[in-house]
Coordinates of all heavy atoms in Angstrom, one line a residue:
N1 N -2.5 1.1 -34.3 CA -2.3 0.8 -32.9 C -2.7 2.0 -32.0 O -3.2 1.8 -30.9 CB -0.8 0.5 -32.6 CG -0.4 -0.8 -33.2 OD1 -1.2 -1.6 -33.5 ND2 0.9 -1.0 -33.4
S2 N -2.6 3.2 -32.4 CA -3.0 4.4 -31.6 C -4.5 4.5 -31.5 O -5.0 5.3 -30.7 CB -2.4 5.6 -32.2 OG -2.9 5.9 -33.5
D3 N -5.3 3.7 -32.3 CA -6.7 3.8 -32.3 C -7.3 2.8 -31.3 O -8.6 2.7 -31.2 CB -7.3 3.5 -33.7 CG -7.0 4.6 -34.7 OD1 -7.1 5.8 -34.3 OD2 -6.7 4.2 -35.8
L4 N -6.5 2.1 -30.6 CA -7.1 1.0 -29.7 C -8.2 1.4 -28.8 O -9.2 0.8 -28.7 CB -5.9 0.3 -28.9 CG -6.4 -0.8 -28.0 CD1 -7.0 -2.0 -28.9 CD2 -5.2 -1.4 -27.2
E5 N -8.0 2.6 -28.1 CA -9.0 3.0 -27.2 C -10.3 3.4 -27.9 O -11.4 3.1 -27.4 CB -8.5 4.2 -26.4 CG -7.5 3.8 -25.3 CD -8.0 2.7 -24.4 OE1 -9.1 2.8 -23.9 OE2 -7.2 1.8 -24.2
D6 N -10.3 3.9 -29.1 CA -11.5 4.2 -29.9 C -12.1 2.9 -30.3 O -13.4 2.8 -30.3 CB -11.1 5.0 -31.1 CG -10.9 6.5 -30.8 OD1 -11.3 7.0 -29.8 OD2 -10.2 7.2 -31.7
V7 N -11.3 1.9 -30.7 CA -11.9 0.6 -31.1 C -12.6 0.0 -29.9 O -13.7 -0.5 -30.1 CB -10.8 -0.3 -31.6 CG1 -11.2 -1.8 -31.7 CG2 -10.2 0.2 -33.0
L8 N -12.0 0.0 -28.8 CA -12.6 -0.6 -27.6 C -13.8 0.1 -27.1 O -14.8 -0.5 -26.7 CB -11.5 -0.8 -26.5 CG -10.3 -1.6 -26.8 CD1 -9.4 -1.7 -25.6 CD2 -10.7 -3.0 -27.2
L9 N -13.8 1.4 -27.3 CA -15.0 2.2 -26.9 C -16.2 1.8 -27.8 O -17.3 1.6 -27.3 CB -14.7 3.7 -27.1 CG -15.9 4.7 -26.9 CD1 -16.4 4.6 -25.5 CD2 -15.5 6.1 -27.4
V10 N -16.0 1.7 -29.1 CA -17.0 1.3 -30.0 C -17.6 -0.1 -29.6 O -18.8 -0.3 -29.6 CB -16.6 1.3 -31.5 CG1 -17.6 0.6 -32.4 CG2 -16.3 2.7 -31.9
E11 N -16.7 -1.0 -29.3 CA -17.1 -2.4 -28.9 C -17.9 -2.3 -27.6 O -18.9 -3.0 -27.6 CB -15.8 -3.2 -28.7 CG -15.0 -3.5 -29.9 CD -15.7 -4.2 -31.0 OE1 -16.6 -5.0 -30.7 OE2 -15.3 -4.0 -32.2
R12 N -17.5 -1.6 -26.7 CA -18.2 -1.5 -25.4 C -19.6 -0.9 -25.6 O -20.6 -1.4 -25.0 CB -17.4 -0.7 -24.4 CG -16.2 -1.3 -23.9 CD -15.5 -0.5 -22.8 NE -14.2 -1.1 -22.5 CZ -13.0 -0.5 -22.9 NH1 -13.0 0.6 -23.5 NH2 -11.9 -1.1 -22.5
L13 N -19.7 0.2 -26.4 CA -21.0 0.8 -26.6 C -21.9 -0.1 -27.5 O -23.1 -0.1 -27.2 CB -20.8 2.2 -27.3 CG -20.1 3.2 -26.4 CD1 -19.8 4.5 -27.3 CD2 -21.0 3.6 -25.2
A14 N -21.3 -0.8 -28.4 CA -22.2 -1.6 -29.3 C -22.7 -2.8 -28.6 O -23.9 -3.2 -28.9 CB -21.4 -2.0 -30.5
F15 N -21.9 -3.4 -27.8 CA -22.3 -4.7 -27.1 C -22.7 -4.5 -25.7 O -23.2 -5.5 -25.1 CB -21.2 -5.7 -27.3 CG -21.0 -6.1 -28.7 CD1 -20.0 -5.6 -29.5 CD2 -21.8 -7.1 -29.3 CE1 -19.8 -5.9 -30.8 CE2 -21.7 -7.5 -30.6 CZ -20.6 -6.9 -31.4
G16 N -22.5 -3.4 -25.1 CA -22.9 -3.1 -23.7 C -22.2 -3.9 -22.7 O -22.8 -4.0 -21.6
E17 N -21.1 -4.4 -23.0 CA -20.3 -5.2 -22.0 C -18.8 -5.2 -22.3 O -18.4 -4.8 -23.4 CB -20.8 -6.6 -21.9 CG -20.7 -7.4 -23.2 CD -21.4 -8.7 -23.1 OE1 -22.6 -8.8 -22.9 OE2 -20.7 -9.7 -23.3
E18 N -18.0 -5.6 -21.4 CA -16.6 -5.6 -21.5 C -16.1 -6.8 -22.3 O -15.0 -6.8 -22.9 CB -15.9 -5.5 -20.2 CG -14.4 -5.3 -20.2 CD -14.0 -3.9 -20.7 OE1 -14.8 -3.0 -20.6 OE2 -12.9 -3.9 -21.3
E19 N -16.8 -7.9 -22.3 CA -16.4 -9.2 -22.9 C -16.0 -9.0 -24.4 O -14.9 -9.5 -24.8 CB -17.5 -10.2 -22.7 CG -17.0 -11.6 -23.1 CD -18.1 -12.6 -22.9 OE1 -18.8 -12.5 -21.8 OE2 -18.2 -13.6 -23.7
E20 N -16.8 -8.4 -25.1 CA -16.5 -8.2 -26.6 C -15.3 -7.4 -26.8 O -14.4 -7.7 -27.7 CB -17.7 -7.6 -27.3 CG -17.7 -7.7 -28.8 CD -17.9 -9.2 -29.3 OE1 -18.6 -9.9 -28.6 OE2 -17.4 -9.5 -30.4
A21 N -15.1 -6.3 -26.0 CA -13.9 -5.4 -26.1 C -12.7 -6.2 -25.8 O -11.7 -6.1 -26.4 CB -14.1 -4.2 -25.2
E22 N -12.7 -7.1 -24.8 CA -11.6 -7.9 -24.4 C -11.2 -8.9 -25.5 O -10.1 -9.1 -25.8 CB -11.8 -8.6 -23.1 CG -11.5 -7.9 -21.9 CD -10.1 -7.4 -21.8 OE1 -9.1 -8.2 -21.9 OE2 -9.9 -6.2 -21.6
L23 N -12.2 -9.5 -26.1 CA -12.0 -10.4 -27.2 C -11.3 -9.7 -28.4 O -10.3 -10.2 -28.9 CB -13.3 -11.0 -27.7 CG -13.3 -11.8 -29.0 CD1 -12.4 -13.0 -28.8 CD2 -14.7 -12.2 -29.5
V24 N -11.8 -8.5 -28.7 CA -11.1 -7.7 -29.8 C -9.7 -7.4 -29.5 O -8.8 -7.5 -30.3 CB -12.0 -6.5 -30.2 CG1 -11.2 -5.5 -31.1 CG2 -13.3 -6.9 -30.8
K25 N -9.5 -6.9 -28.2 CA -8.2 -6.6 -27.8 C -7.2 -7.8 -27.9 O -6.1 -7.6 -28.3 CB -8.2 -6.0 -26.3 CG -6.9 -5.5 -25.8 CD -7.1 -5.0 -24.4 CE -5.8 -4.5 -23.8 NZ -6.0 -4.0 -22.4
N26 N -7.7 -8.9 -27.4 CA -6.9 -10.1 -27.5 C -6.6 -10.5 -28.9 O -5.4 -10.9 -29.3 CB -7.5 -11.3 -26.8 CG -7.5 -11.0 -25.3 OD1 -6.7 -10.3 -24.7 ND2 -8.5 -11.7 -24.6
L27 N -7.6 -10.5 -29.8 CA -7.3 -10.8 -31.2 C -6.3 -9.9 -31.9 O -5.5 -10.3 -32.7 CB -8.6 -10.8 -32.0 CG -9.6 -12.0 -31.8 CD1 -10.9 -11.7 -32.4 CD2 -8.9 -13.2 -32.3
L28 N -6.4 -8.6 -31.6 CA -5.5 -7.6 -32.2 C -4.1 -7.9 -31.8 O -3.1 -7.5 -32.5 CB -5.9 -6.2 -31.8 CG -7.2 -5.7 -32.5 CD1 -7.6 -4.4 -31.9 CD2 -7.0 -5.6 -34.0
S29 N -3.8 -8.5 -30.6 CA -2.5 -8.7 -30.1 C -2.0 -10.2 -30.4 O -0.9 -10.5 -30.1 CB -2.4 -8.4 -28.7 OG -3.2 -9.2 -27.9
D30 N -2.9 -11.0 -31.0 CA -2.6 -12.4 -31.2 C -1.9 -12.6 -32.6 O -2.6 -12.5 -33.6 CB -3.9 -13.2 -31.1 CG -3.7 -14.7 -31.2 OD1 -2.5 -15.1 -31.6 OD2 -4.6 -15.4 -31.0
R31 N -0.7 -12.9 -32.6 CA 0.1 -13.1 -33.8 C -0.5 -14.3 -34.7 O -0.4 -14.2 -35.9 CB 1.6 -13.4 -33.6 CG 2.3 -12.1 -33.1 CD 2.5 -11.2 -34.3 NE 3.3 -10.1 -34.0 CZ 3.2 -9.0 -34.7 NH1 2.5 -8.9 -35.8 NH2 3.9 -7.9 -34.3
S32 N -1.1 -15.3 -34.1 CA -1.7 -16.4 -34.8 C -2.9 -15.9 -35.6 O -3.4 -16.7 -36.5 CB -2.0 -17.6 -33.9 OG -3.1 -17.3 -33.1
A33 N -3.5 -14.8 -35.3 CA -4.7 -14.3 -36.0 C -4.3 -13.4 -37.2 O -5.2 -13.0 -37.9 CB -5.5 -13.4 -35.0
Y34 N -3.0 -13.2 -37.4 CA -2.6 -12.3 -38.5 C -2.7 -13.1 -39.8 O -2.5 -14.3 -39.8 CB -1.1 -11.9 -38.3 CG -1.0 -10.7 -37.4 CD1 -1.5 -10.8 -36.1 CD2 -0.5 -9.5 -37.8 CE1 -1.4 -9.7 -35.2 CE2 -0.4 -8.4 -36.9 CZ -0.8 -8.6 -35.6 OH -0.8 -7.5 -34.8
P35 N -2.9 -12.5 -41.0 CA -3.1 -11.0 -41.1 C -4.5 -10.6 -40.6 O -5.4 -11.3 -40.7 CB -3.0 -10.8 -42.6 CG -3.5 -12.1 -43.2 CD -3.1 -13.2 -42.2
I36 N -4.5 -9.4 -40.1 CA -5.6 -8.8 -39.5 C -6.0 -7.5 -40.4 O -5.1 -6.8 -40.8 CB -5.4 -8.3 -38.0 CG1 -5.4 -9.5 -37.1 CG2 -6.4 -7.3 -37.6 CD1 -5.1 -9.2 -35.7
L37 N -7.3 -7.4 -40.6 CA -7.8 -6.1 -41.2 C -8.8 -5.5 -40.2 O -9.8 -6.2 -39.9 CB -8.5 -6.4 -42.5 CG -9.1 -5.1 -43.1 CD1 -8.0 -4.0 -43.4 CD2 -9.8 -5.5 -44.4
S38 N -8.5 -4.4 -39.6 CA -9.3 -3.7 -38.6 C -9.7 -2.4 -39.2 O -8.8 -1.5 -39.4 CB -8.5 -3.6 -37.3 OG -9.2 -2.9 -36.4
L39 N -11.0 -2.2 -39.4 CA -11.4 -0.9 -40.0 C -12.2 -0.1 -39.0 O -13.1 -0.7 -38.3 CB -12.3 -1.1 -41.2 CG -11.6 -1.9 -42.4 CD1 -12.6 -2.2 -43.5 CD2 -10.4 -1.1 -42.9
L40 N -12.0 1.2 -38.9 CA -12.7 2.0 -37.9 C -13.4 3.1 -38.7 O -12.9 3.7 -39.6 CB -11.6 2.6 -37.0 CG -12.1 3.3 -35.7 CD1 -12.9 2.4 -34.9 CD2 -10.8 3.8 -34.9
A41 N -14.7 3.3 -38.3 CA -15.5 4.3 -39.0 C -15.7 5.5 -38.0 O -15.9 5.3 -36.8 CB -16.9 3.7 -39.3
F42 N -15.7 6.7 -38.6 CA -15.8 7.9 -37.9 C -16.9 8.8 -38.5 O -17.1 8.9 -39.7 CB -14.5 8.8 -37.9 CG -13.4 8.2 -37.2 CD1 -12.5 7.3 -37.8 CD2 -13.2 8.5 -35.8 CE1 -11.5 6.7 -37.1 CE2 -12.1 8.0 -35.2 CZ -11.2 7.1 -35.8
Q43 N -17.7 9.4 -37.6 CA -18.7 10.4 -38.0 C -18.4 11.6 -37.3 O -18.4 11.6 -36.0 CB -20.1 9.8 -37.7 CG -21.2 10.8 -38.2 CD -21.4 10.7 -39.7 OE1 -21.4 9.6 -40.3 NE2 -21.5 11.9 -40.3

């Protein structure tokens, strides 16, 4: 949960718009989408 801003940053940079980041944010908070596996890569 503490990685949310990093996740959304990657989404915004990868897709160049807010729409994809909002979709991911909504899915992460949607209980009907569970179980969720969200992996974050760092360099």
Side-chain angles (χ1 to χ4, degrees):
N1 290 340
S2 64
D3 292 319
L4 181 60
E5 288 306 314
D6 285 339
V7 167
L8 298 180
L9 174 65
V10 170
E11 298 295 332
R12 289 181 189 111
L13 292 172
F15 292 98
E17 57 187 65
E18 189 65 28
E19 186 175 324
E20 195 72 27
E22 275 301 308
L23 172 62
V24 168
K25 184 177 178 181
N26 290 337
L27 283 169
L28 288 170
S29 64
D30 183 352
R31 288 285 183 201
S32 72
Y34 280 62
I36 286 178
L37 176 60
S38 177
L39 301 175
L40 193 54
F42 292 88
Q43 183 73 46

